[in-house]
Amino acid sequence: MRNVFLIVISLLLMISFSCSKKSRFDADVSSVDANIEIKRLEMDLFTMDPSEIMQKIPDLIEKYGDFFELYSTAVINVGSPYEKLYADNLSVFITDYTMNNVYKETQKVFPDLEGLQKSLNTAFKRYKYFFPDKQVPAVYTYMGGFNQSIVIADSILAIGLDKYLGRNCEYYTRLAFEKYLQQNMYPEKIPSDAIRSWALTEFEYKAESDNLINNLLYHGKLQYILDAVYPEMHDTLKFGFTAEQLLWCQRNEKPMWDYLIEEKLLFSTDYMTINKHINPAPFTSGYPSESPGRASVWLGREIIKAYMDRNPNISLYDLMNEFDYQKILSESRYEP
């Protein structure tokens, strides 16, 4: 009886320790300020009287700063706000019949952005906690005529809402977007896309050799940032996989890794080979058609997780400043 009692006590202590053990992603962000306030350029543009564009341009420049010129010149390509014909060019865009219908659809899907603003504010508070020397961007939304989903510039993060109207949006079908792209063109995908895009520009790729394994580990680090700022978010959202695709990765982790080794691809510097493994696609080249595009990036994240699990004293900040990818691979002792 005494032995049973001791076993029960030991189990209770183990459970207590397990529950009290801090997660690597625990973060007290109560004193961290992010102050994300989303400014909606699409609303200001498509509710504006076209006859008043000339008078409104100074107000738009003041409210949206550098982003307004970036949007005008690089997203909708109507020229600089300081050019003579700008007002006429912008008028053509905001009075276009199709774009006005798209705007109405955007308003249906995004009547307000309170939830998105709260999500990004939480994420950037955690981001500032882990990277206190990094800046938090000003956040804008826009309609870009189905061009870029996310636009990043110095201190600017802008979201093209017309690229997130829903997987079954009729405009995407009309424009012949590939199904694998439509799969991630829905509102809930915005937070992970926004943070990953921001991290991609804040933490540039640096490595002695531009080979496949270094790229996989780099992109694995970016995904690990998503794990840190969105610890409760499901991997399907963070990777843009369906539940079936994620399950396929989990069940085929070893075959994927074995394939990369057997085909001598890990240290390949071939540009096309690297792109086929890190960029969105219907499936990952070399793997079965059931695989998702970027399945190899999922492997990269798993290696990063193994490395961090084996090195509890290495911070997220240290990880992002470690560019010796062979060291990361070696010390991860990765064995799927």
Side-chain angles (χ1 to χ4, degrees), residues 33 111 115 129 156 161 183-184 196-197 200 205 207 275 281 283 295 320:
D33 292 325
Y129 175 89
I156 293 170
L161 295 181
Q183 174 181 308
N184 286 302
R196 186 180 178 279
S197 297
L200 189 66
Y205 175 74
N275 280 350
F283 64 95
M320 298 312 296

Side-chain angles (χ1 to χ4, degrees), residues 34-92:
N35 298 322
I36 298 295
E37 179 185 353
I38 301 176
K39 295 181 180 180
R40 301 191 66 169
L41 176 58
E42 77 285 349
M43 291 184 69
D44 283 343
L45 289 183
F46 284 88
T47 58
M48 182 170 53
D49 184 337
S51 67
E52 297 180 353
I53 290 179
M54 187 67 76
Q55 300 95 291
K56 295 288 186 180
I57 289 175
D59 295 335
L60 291 169
I61 291 173
E62 181 177 357
K63 182 174 181 179
Y64 293 97
D66 291 341
F67 172 61
F68 188 59
E69 179 154 12
L70 177 66
Y71 171 76
S72 299
T73 58
V75 179
I76 59 173
N77 301 309
V78 296
S80 169
Y82 303 99
E83 293 175 352
K84 185 177 180 180
L85 296 177
Y86 176 76
D88 291 338
N89 294 338
L90 182 60
S91 178
V92 171

Side-chain angles (χ1 to χ4, degrees), residues 93-333:
F93 179 73
I94 67 173
T95 58
D96 180 82
Y97 176 77
T98 299
M99 291 312 302
N100 272 273
N101 284 335
V102 174
Y103 173 69
K104 291 174 185 176
E105 183 66 21
T106 301
Q107 289 304 295
K108 290 179 186 177
V109 178
F110 301 101
D112 68 72
L113 296 178
E114 183 179 343
L116 176 59
Q117 183 167 294
K118 183 178 179 181
S119 176
L120 291 179
N121 195 61
T122 298
F124 274 109
K125 287 179 76 168
R126 294 180 63 85
Y127 177 81
K128 282 290 289 182
Y129 175 89
F130 291 113
F131 306 106
D133 61 334
K134 292 291 186 179
Q135 64 176 337
V136 171
V139 181
Y140 307 98
T141 58
Y142 64 89
M143 276 178 44
F146 304 105
N147 289 319
Q148 298 94 321
S149 300
I150 306 286
V151 170
I152 304 290
D154 184 30
S155 75
I156 293 170
L157 190 163
I159 301 157
L161 295 181
D162 51 346
K163 293 292 289 293
Y164 294 98
L165 295 177
R167 291 166 170 160
N168 299 316
C169 175
E170 62 175 308
Y171 293 108
Y172 302 156
T173 303
R174 281 193 221 167
L175 293 167
F177 280 107
E178 296 280 0
K179 287 294 182 184
Y180 75 90
L181 295 175
Q182 291 187 47
Q183 174 181 308
N184 286 302
M185 297 170 72
Y186 63 106
E188 291 79 8
K189 196 67 182 66
I190 293 176
S192 59
D193 281 1
I195 297 297
R196 186 180 178 279
S197 297
W198 182 252
L200 189 66
T201 60
E202 289 289 284
F203 301 97
E204 296 180 5
Y205 175 74
K206 298 177 183 176
E208 286 188 8
S209 176
D210 189 17
N211 58 33
L212 179 59
I213 185 59
N214 289 355
N215 274 274
L216 296 187
L217 294 179
Y218 166 69
H219 285 276
K221 291 200 296 185
L222 297 180
Q223 293 294 150
Y224 197 75
I225 288 180
L226 284 180
D227 293 340
V229 301
Y230 282 126
E232 304 301 321
M233 182 182 284
H234 200 271
D235 269 359
T236 50
L237 276 175
K238 287 185 282 192
F239 282 93
F241 296 167
T242 64
E244 292 78 12
Q245 288 172 332
L246 178 61
L247 183 60
W248 186 92
C249 289
Q250 293 167 340
R251 289 176 172 173
N252 291 275
E253 184 175 359
K254 188 176 190 309
M256 283 193 286
W257 185 244
D258 288 346
Y259 168 79
L260 295 178
I261 292 173
E262 290 166 6
E263 295 298 318
K264 297 180 172 58
L265 294 177
L266 287 180
F267 300 101
S268 171
T269 57
D270 178 67
Y271 176 79
M272 293 299 294
T273 297
I274 293 171
N275 280 350
K276 287 176 181 178
H277 284 269
I278 66 173
N279 289 335
F283 64 95
T284 300
S285 179
Y287 302 158
S289 60
E290 294 82 11
S291 68
R294 300 180 71 245
S296 296
V297 171
W298 183 84
L299 279 181
R301 197 280 305 265
E302 293 304 291
I303 297 172
I304 295 298
K305 283 175 63 176
Y307 172 73
M308 295 299 279
D309 288 346
R310 288 188 174 277
N311 295 276
N313 294 324
I314 292 178
S315 68
L316 189 58
Y317 184 92
D318 295 332
L319 172 67
M320 298 312 296
N321 286 283
E322 177 58 76
F323 307 115
D324 186 344
Y325 291 105
Q326 293 311 300
K327 174 185 175 183
I328 291 175
L329 179 61
S330 176
E331 293 188 5
S332 72
R333 301 181 198 170

